Amino acid sequence: MPIRQMKDNSEQHLVIKNHLQNTMNPIQRTPKTAQNGKGPPAGHEPHNTKQSHNHTSPPTKNKGRRRGRGGRKSDQGDVCMRPSSRHCTVAQKPVNPGSADILAATSNGSIQNDHNLSGMEMGFPTSSKSLNFASRPGFGQVGTKCIVKANHFFAELPDKDLNQYDVTITPEVTSRTMNRAIMAELVKLYKGSVLGMRLPAYDGRKSLYTAGEFPFSWKEFSVKLVDEDDGINGPKREREYKVVVKFVARANMHHLGQFLAGKRADAPQEALQILDIVLRELSTKRYCPIGRSFFSPDIRAPQRLGDGLESWCGFYQSIRPTQMGLSLNIDMASAAFIEPLPVIEFVAQLLGKDLLSRPLSDSDRVKIKKALRGVKVEVTHRGNVRRKYRVSGLTSQPTRELVFPVDDNSTMKSIVEYFQEMYGFTIQHTHLPCLQVGNQRKANYLPMEACKIVEGQRYTKRLNERQITALLKVTCQRPRDREHDILQTVQHNAYNQDPYAKEFGVKISEKLASVEARILPAPWLKYHETGKEKDCLPQVGQWNMMNKKMINGMTVSRWACINFSRSVQESVARGFCNELAQMCQVSGMEFNPEPVIPIYSARPELVEKALKHVYNATMNKTKGKELELLLAILPDNNGSLYGDLKRICETDLGLISQCCLTKHVFKISKQYLANVALKINVKTGGRNTVLLDAISCRIPLVSDIPTIIFGADVTHPENGEDSSPSIAAVVASQDWPEVTKYAGLVCAQAHRQELIQDLYKTWQDPVRGTVSGGMIRDLLVSFRKATGQKPLRIIFYRDGVSEGQFYQVLLYELDAIRKACASLEPNYQPPVTFIVVQKRHHTRLFANSHRDRSSTDKSGNILPGTVVDSKICHPTEFDFYLCSHAGIQGTSRPAHYHVLWDENNFTADGIQSLTNNLCYTYARCTRSVSVVPPAYYAHLAAFRARFYMEPEMQENGSNSCSNGQAKGTRAVGESGVRPLPALKENVKRVMFYC
């Protein structure tokens, strides 16, 4: 690839202007040809201090405009991003003019792209619907070729017309189960007559699908359903519904065929959705559907998880467009369900004590209410009648004290009397509260002993550690066993005998897809010259620190230790610290064996007082020189202590800390100490190892010019937390050409907001006027300060984005990157490659032969470095699966990388090899990891920032960032989410999250 120079005016890139959000005055330029043929998916404007721009919502309209890249100085007083002479030098390759896409801005502001993909338009869109992601530049060739099996099953494309009908049910029904019952009755009544023998598939809401047309375009039906739960004797209650079925559209199967053949870039979502619903129809009737998975206690016997929960096994199913055509992705699944127990038994398990003789405490009531709220129960005191109710609460009084009016004269009757007289049911345990069912205005009371939990209710709240361990035992399957269960599931589902699949002409193979793969070579790693082993070639994804020294070992001369564990005596703590100091020295650090002050013991509940005491005592002893490291010994079960300690150290005192659990202090392991030494070194600013190719300047599209690699992630609150903010984190490499050290910033933003709000923002300062900021800008400035150079290329790994969010995330976040760059210097627009990293998918890869030991690691999984970019991947877009790690237990999950935007013109081999090699640079262990480290680090940083939140932060609102801003400083118009406390400057510069 050619070396890109900042002052090469022949290289131009397109900028998209966002009219609705950006009020800056445009600078008129004449459009020129772009080298790479791709414009960014949203606009940037040159920085203008006279007007502000609040980055709080995604862009909605874009218009094309040219941008150039140059090395001119900024006149705004910001950090000037000048190119530097210090960089690796590599041989230039000639540019092939024919390979570049040609961009032209039309008179109406739209963009056209003469891309070579079947003559289709690939230009920058004015909306996400017309946006085309990066197309596949070819297939990778590097690595040892092999065959793997994937849990994808070929689905033959139907040759029938698929039709969509709109369904309106009156009176309106909110339950999908009830909707399905109504439509099932309609089909039963009218299939042989009015429906023309069609067997439709129904989505449970508003859409009905058929293969071929009904004999009508609009028709109203009358359907009567009997309430089976109502009444013991006499006639049962009937409900009548009016159902209107109206023709809407016909799915374009030719479009789908062209898309699968790679002749069109836009996926026909309607046709794919219809086929997905068709193949789910029978399983929806047989099993308990949850999301895209189906569960049943009959697939495998449920396993108890404790506290009234059990695990159900099931399977995941999804139709996917791939290079081999339509593919049905099947995987095994497990989930926690509430055991269908009598409520009294459930509560006894929940509380872990006998309910029948002892009254409940207030804390018991709270726990019961939290566990049962929203749970469906059925009554057991009425013989065969099992009416179902949803629990809304718990009475504050015991059953024996509850009375209610029975007539207009306010005649009161007790619950005990009512159940005895009405149902002949004697309530035995009158000291227990009743369940409240229904809404608050008309709540009914049900005695606990008269209720049983309805089967098939998934538990969505947080599991405790014991339950998680029990569930993992169920879900953790060796590759051979998982493959067997998947095949068994496909055979049991018998898709080729499925009446709905037959009706729609869909045929499913019962064989796992056989896929060509390659095993990428592991990279050589460089260690310090003073070690016996100066470099290392990992074997099967792992290596060790024996005979090696960290390539950049730090010096720790001022450190202290605080002991929060009562069971650890001072002598034991001192011995542990000595061992750890020795390990740090052996590993290549300079580590003072003596702490600044003697080991300080403290109670966990006094963590803030203890930390401040140690901080002040050490500052006094060192005459104002700050500690370089604080060791903390914690109890094994420490509750909020760990989070409190990290929050105080990183946002208040500016201390780098390393926590160690009591069990490791008593049972000192060399491996444990070596891993802790690795963490300490990077937390204090060092490097453990670097890629040999990096320091030899041999990494394509990284070593040629200063390159910054970003990682970004957003973590959301757990289910049930309706107001907690989401946490966004962005990390960026701070060294080049090594690309090993990553600084990180974190930010709280609106609940469940996936778009990272603070990538770029402006706000009004009473003194400075309009001020630019945000995480991207701050990290670019930080890179410049750390390396003396400005990044001339950006590689952005984005974690945690589902396929349905690709468009909006790319549009919004690439726009923010553009604006952040432009705010630093006019025309500063380094080319960007934007890659989404996905781990929450259901593709699994298996060795072609489990008996062939040379094709698997010790756990029976495929070898680290296995990459797949054909057959099961997207028909036209630039994606690949990479299993970069060695398995430990269970079945390895490859990471799925999807290159959404690529202005750096990576080849398939280039991005695959770079990603795989980076996985060997993870700082916390001597193993390659399953996700590229910048994305991994962003996840760790976002998880760490949860500890920074205080209880009063649990509220809805917009965003706020922990990036060194003064407390209370917000962009104009921001409100709601309380800012995270700012990270201290010395903390931000290092990998504090490790």
Side-chain angles (χ1 to χ4, degrees):
M1 296 301 297
I3 295 177
R4 296 181 183 267
Q5 296 295 333
M6 284 299 293
K7 295 186 179 180
D8 181 2
N9 292 326
S10 66
E11 277 190 24
Q12 297 287 334
H13 293 269
L14 199 70
V15 168
I16 307 305
K17 177 182 172 187
N18 179 353
H19 282 286
L20 295 186
Q21 282 199 302
N22 201 325
T23 58
M24 300 177 185
N25 294 323
I27 298 173
Q28 299 298 325
R29 288 196 184 91
T30 304
K32 295 181 183 178
T33 301
Q35 179 201 3
N36 55 36
K38 300 183 181 75
H44 95 269
E45 291 284 350
H47 183 57
N48 187 328
T49 57
K50 294 182 181 179
Q51 301 196 41
S52 65
H53 172 78
N54 293 325
H55 221 236
T56 56
S57 62
T60 55
K61 187 179 289 187
N62 306 286
K63 187 173 180 181
R65 193 164 58 77
R66 297 298 309 161
R67 65 172 166 80
R69 280 208 319 277
R72 286 179 290 174
K73 296 180 183 179
S74 168
D75 58 358
Q76 305 299 332
D78 288 321
V79 174
C80 185
M81 305 291 282
R82 300 188 189 88
S84 166
S85 60
R86 177 190 172 270
H87 58 76
C88 292
T89 305
V90 293
Q92 295 192 39
K93 294 181 182 178
V95 178
N96 178 5
S99 67
D101 302 329
I102 307 302
L103 284 170
T106 62
S107 59
N108 65 359
S110 65
I111 299 164
Q112 295 174 341
N113 184 336
D114 297 330
H115 199 276
N116 59 5
L117 184 56
S118 307
M120 59 190 172
E121 288 191 1
M122 293 285 289
F124 186 77
T126 56
S127 73
S128 64
K129 290 184 179 178
S130 59
L131 170 64
N132 289 317
F133 298 136
S135 58
R136 191 179 301 283
F139 296 95
Q141 303 297 323
V142 171
T144 306
K145 292 185 178 179
C146 64
I147 300 293
V148 296
K149 290 177 287 186
N151 58 339
H152 286 242
F153 299 84
F154 177 69
E156 195 174 307
L157 198 64
D159 56 2
K160 301 183 179 183
D161 285 336
L162 306 185
N163 301 280
Q164 179 182 352
Y165 291 83
D166 183 71
V167 173
T168 305
I169 298 174
T170 311
E172 188 177 351
V173 178
T174 55
S175 163
R176 294 180 75 173
T177 304
M178 180 59 73
N179 281 340
R180 289 184 185 281
I182 293 166
M183 294 306 295
E185 183 69 13
L186 185 150
V187 172
K188 179 181 169 185
L189 290 172
Y190 299 105
K191 181 184 175 186
S193 55
V194 184
L195 300 185
M197 294 305 293
R198 300 288 181 207
L199 180 63
Y202 179 49
D203 71 353
R205 286 188 176 134
K206 294 284 290 178
S207 296
L208 193 71
Y209 304 102
T210 63
E213 295 180 352
F214 284 139
F216 57 85
S217 59
W218 183 96
K219 195 162 189 67
E220 183 177 289
F221 297 87
S222 180
V223 176
K224 292 180 180 178
L225 278 190
V226 175
D227 190 346
E228 297 293 341
D229 293 335
D230 190 58
I232 301 176
N233 302 312
K236 297 189 177 181
R237 185 167 51 180
E238 269 190 346
R239 295 187 183 181
E240 185 173 349
Y241 298 92
K242 280 188 168 48
V243 182
V244 174
V245 178
K246 177 185 174 184
F247 176 78
V248 175
R250 184 174 293 112
N252 191 336
M253 299 308 291
H254 176 67
H255 181 174
L256 178 57
Q258 283 194 310
F259 172 70
L260 293 170
K263 295 177 181 177
R264 293 189 67 162
D266 53 324
Q269 294 299 337
E270 296 81 4
L272 291 169
Q273 183 182 357
I274 293 171
L275 295 173
D276 199 45
I277 289 166
V278 166
L279 290 171
R280 294 170 63 81
E281 187 73 23
L282 193 60
S283 293
T284 299
K285 290 176 166 60
R286 285 178 177 173
Y287 308 116
C288 174
I290 293 175
R292 289 191 171 274
S293 297
F294 299 94
F295 297 92
S296 170
D298 302 325
I299 293 176
R300 197 187 301 165
Q303 301 291 313
R304 284 199 160 182
L305 302 178
D307 293 354
L309 303 185
E310 62 184 8
S311 68
W312 281 20
C313 287
F315 63 93
Y316 167 92
Q317 173 182 305
S318 176
I319 197 92
R320 300 189 62 78
T322 65
Q323 292 169 34
M324 69 177 182
L326 277 182
S327 158
L328 190 66
N329 182 204
I330 301 284
D331 192 23
M332 303 315 295
S334 291
F337 281 74
I338 302 171
E339 276 195 77
L341 298 169
V343 169
I344 281 193
E345 282 187 41
F346 173 84
V347 172
Q349 279 199 33
L350 180 72
L351 300 180
K353 65 183 183 183
D354 179 21
L355 296 179
L356 306 184
S357 56
R358 299 165 57 186
L360 297 178
S361 66
D362 289 342
S363 60
D364 289 339
R365 288 172 189 274
V366 170
K367 194 171 183 181
I368 296 168
K369 184 177 179 179
K370 191 174 179 181
L372 287 177
R373 181 182 285 160
V375 173
K376 272 189 180 177
V377 296
E378 58 185 9
V379 296
T380 58
H381 64 286
R382 298 179 60 187
N384 293 327
V385 176
R386 294 292 182 112
R387 292 205 75 170
K388 297 177 177 66
Y389 300 90
R390 197 174 291 279
V391 177
S392 58
L394 202 66
T395 62
S396 56
Q397 299 165 285
T399 303
R400 60 175 169 248
E401 296 177 13
L402 291 172
V403 294
F404 66 100
V406 292
D407 55 33
D408 293 338
N409 298 323
S410 297
T411 305
M412 306 303 284
K413 183 172 286 191
S414 72
I415 294 290
V416 175
E417 290 173 337
Y418 176 80
F419 272 80
Q420 181 65 56
E421 294 172 10
M422 189 72 179
Y423 306 110
F425 182 81
T426 304
I427 300 174
Q428 301 289 334
H429 310 296
T430 58
H431 66 289
L432 295 175
C434 276
L435 301 179
Q436 286 180 297
V437 297
N439 55 42
Q440 289 182 344
R441 287 190 301 172
K442 190 180 177 183
N444 294 315
Y445 300 139
L446 290 175
M448 282 189 185
E449 62 200 87
C451 299
K452 180 176 182 287
I453 291 171
V454 174
E455 186 180 60
Q457 297 181 79
R458 188 181 178 192
Y459 183 77
T460 58
K461 300 182 180 76
R462 183 176 185 174
L463 300 176
N464 61 37
E465 292 296 326
R466 193 161 38 86
Q467 291 166 335
I468 291 170
T469 302
L471 185 59
L472 285 175
K473 284 182 181 177
V474 177
T475 58
C476 189
Q477 285 184 292
R478 291 284 186 184
R480 184 198 299 261
D481 299 331
R482 195 181 195 100
E483 181 186 329
H484 174 266
D485 283 358
I486 289 169
L487 286 168
Q488 205 170 39
T489 297
V490 172
Q491 289 161 11
H492 182 264
N493 288 348
Y495 294 101
N496 293 334
Q497 303 303 314
D498 180 339
Y500 294 94
K502 280 186 173 181
E503 170 82 7
F504 284 79
V506 182
K507 296 178 182 176
I508 305 294
S509 168
E510 292 193 348
K511 292 183 179 179
L512 291 157
S514 213
V515 185
E516 287 186 5
R518 291 166 291 113
I519 302 168
L520 301 178
W524 280 90
L525 302 176
K526 185 75 179 79
Y527 283 91
H528 200 273
E529 290 293 322
T530 57
K532 289 184 181 178
E533 293 184 24
K534 298 172 180 57
D535 46 41
C536 163
L537 182 64
Q539 300 297 315
V540 196
Q542 49 194 315
W543 66 102
N544 59 51
M545 285 295 292
M546 288 179 62
N547 300 322
K548 304 175 191 70
K549 289 187 183 293
M550 299 158 175
I551 190 161
N552 296 119
M554 293 302 288
T555 298
V556 176
S557 54
R558 298 183 302 279
W559 63 278
C561 176
I562 187 166
N563 177 17
F564 288 104
S565 179
R566 292 177 184 174
S567 59
V568 176
Q569 295 178 338
E570 187 180 345
S571 58
V572 175
R574 196 162 53 245
F576 173 77
C577 290
N578 288 340
E579 293 273 356
L580 181 57
Q582 286 178 29
M583 179 58 75
C584 289
Q585 290 169 344
V586 167
S587 301
M589 295 180 69
E590 290 185 24
F591 203 102
N592 184 350
E594 293 298 322
V596 172
I597 61 172
I599 294 171
Y600 183 77
S601 295
R603 301 210 308 268
E605 60 271 23
L606 300 176
V607 55
E608 185 166 7
K609 182 179 177 183
L611 288 171
K612 288 183 176 178
H613 169 82
V614 169
Y615 177 80
N616 292 326
T618 54
M619 287 286 277
N620 290 335
K621 189 77 178 287
T622 59
K623 297 180 181 177
K625 292 182 179 178
E626 293 189 344
L627 278 184
E628 293 160 331
L629 177 69
L630 176 70
L631 295 177
I633 298 171
L634 309 185
D636 293 332
N637 297 310
N638 55 72
S640 65
L641 175 59
Y642 176 85
D644 291 341
L645 184 145
K646 291 296 183 183
R647 174 176 52 80
I648 296 163
C649 285
E650 290 161 6
T651 68
D652 188 6
L653 302 178
L655 291 176
I656 300 299
S657 59
Q658 176 60 52
C659 296
C660 305
L661 294 178
T662 297
K663 61 184 178 183
H664 297 305
V665 173
F666 280 124
K667 189 180 179 182
I668 298 176
S669 149
K670 293 288 184 187
Q671 182 63 59
Y672 172 76
L673 292 176
N675 283 346
V676 173
L678 293 177
K679 293 176 70 173
I680 289 173
N681 190 49
V682 295
K683 284 181 181 181
T684 52
R687 294 187 192 89
N688 296 332
T689 185
V690 297
L691 296 169
L692 189 59
D693 278 357
I695 56 175
S696 304
C697 300
R698 292 197 298 257
I699 302 179
L701 293 177
V702 172
S703 299
D704 55 346
I705 55 175
T707 299
I708 186 169
I709 301 180
F710 284 92
D713 190 20
V714 178
T715 63
H716 301 293
E718 294 169 353
N719 288 330
E721 292 187 33
D722 297 329
S723 59
S724 298
S726 293
I727 301 290
V730 180
V731 304
S733 57
Q734 299 293 291
D735 52 351
W736 181 83
E738 297 91 345
V739 290
T740 304
K741 296 163 76 169
Y742 291 82
L745 298 174
V746 290
C747 171
Q749 58 186 38
H751 178 73
R752 296 267 159 202
Q753 170 63 262
E754 182 58 46
L755 305 179
I756 303 178
Q757 300 295 288
D758 269 0
L759 289 182
Y760 174 74
K761 61 180 181 178
T762 61
W763 65 94
Q764 290 293 334
D765 183 272
V767 178
R768 295 181 292 168
T770 302
V771 181
S772 296
M775 294 192 278
I776 294 291
R777 190 180 192 280
D778 291 351
L779 289 167
L780 288 171
V781 171
S782 177
F783 180 96
R784 176 71 171 89
K785 288 178 179 176
T787 65
Q789 304 173 84
K790 65 178 176 182
L792 301 185
R793 179 183 292 117
I794 293 174
I795 300 170
F796 196 94
Y797 286 100
R798 177 65 156 89
D799 197 4
V801 181
S802 64
E803 288 178 354
Q805 297 169 313
F806 279 5
Y807 288 110
Q808 61 184 125
V809 167
L810 179 63
L811 282 166
Y812 184 72
E813 296 185 2
L814 191 49
D815 176 49
I817 294 169
R818 292 285 181 239
K819 288 186 170 76
C821 292
S823 74
L824 290 165
E825 177 181 327
N827 305 316
Y828 173 56
Q829 290 297 322
V832 177
T833 297
F834 194 105
I835 308 153
V836 167
V837 188
Q838 292 175 305
K839 280 288 280 183
R840 291 186 179 181
H841 61 81
H842 287 269
T843 292
R844 299 293 182 273
L845 303 175
F846 304 100
N848 193 41
S849 170
H850 292 287
R851 294 177 182 175
D852 182 7
R853 294 291 180 185
S854 65
S855 65
T856 63
D857 58 23
K858 289 179 182 177
S859 67
N861 280 289
I862 56 174
L863 293 169
T866 301
V867 65
V868 170
D869 62 1
S870 64
K871 203 163 183 178
I872 61 170
C873 292
H874 195 279
T876 60
E877 292 170 12
F878 192 0
D879 71 326
F880 59 93
Y881 291 94
L882 172 63
C883 183
S884 52
H885 67 297
I888 299 175
Q889 59 179 358
T891 303
S892 294
R893 187 196 312 239
H896 184 223
Y897 296 90
H898 203 128
V899 183
L900 298 188
W901 200 259
D902 182 29
E903 293 176 332
N904 290 298
N905 297 323
F906 272 99
T907 63
D909 281 328
I911 197 66
Q912 290 166 13
S913 295
L914 171 64
T915 302
N916 185 59
N917 291 351
L918 286 174
C919 290
Y920 286 79
T921 65
Y922 185 63
R924 304 208 303 179
C925 60
T926 52
R927 297 176 66 94
S928 59
V929 288
S930 60
V931 173
V932 69
Y936 204 144
Y937 293 146
H939 178 77
L940 291 177
F943 187 79
R944 170 65 58 80
R946 287 249 160 239
F947 296 129
Y948 301 161
M949 292 194 302
E950 296 170 14
E952 53 268 36
M953 286 187 66
Q954 312 299 308
E955 51 186 312
N956 287 315
S958 58
N959 50 304
S960 49
C961 199
S962 181
N963 59 3
Q965 262 180 232
K967 290 185 180 180
T969 305
R970 294 180 178 175
V972 174
E974 287 187 327
S975 61
V977 172
R978 182 175 170 183
L980 294 175
L983 290 168
K984 292 296 182 180
E985 283 300 321
N986 63 315
V987 174
K988 286 196 298 181
R989 289 195 297 268
V990 297
M991 297 166 71
F992 65 93
Y993 43 80
C994 278

